[in-house]
Amino acid sequence: MSSSYSLPPILVSQIEALVDSGHFSSRSDVVKEALRFMIEKKNHLRHASAVEMYKKGKATLTKGAEIATVSADTFRSILNDQGIVTPDTVEWESIE
């Protein structure tokens, strides 16, 4: 999937410099590595992406936990804290 994003000129220049210096083979590789590093270091972003993917049906509870790098029980708690009802927390009154 290809996407296009606007970046400030200074970032574009830095990305180009990293490719030109041989540290990366492409601009795309620079951006992918930067995003991987950011998400790896910032738990709240990892959790937010996992929750959003779960809400959109792009991740199961187990896959969401894997993305968030937490246990399934912890991910369930994260979802429940945001008001998202998981299969194990369905209230009997809501079943018709």
Side-chain angles (χ1 to χ4, degrees), residues 70-91:
V70 296
S71 70
D73 286 337
T74 300
F75 188 58
R76 183 178 288 111
S77 293
I78 291 168
L79 292 170
N80 292 339
D81 288 347
Q82 295 190 29
I84 300 167
V85 178
T86 58
D88 290 344
T89 59
V90 174
E91 296 175 11

Side-chain angles (χ1 to χ4, degrees), residues 1-7 27-29 31-32 35 58:
M1 174 165 95
S2 182
S3 297
S4 178
Y5 300 94
S6 297
L7 297 171
R27 293 178 303 219
S28 180
D29 287 346
V31 174
K32 286 188 282 189
L35 289 172
K58 294 182 178 183

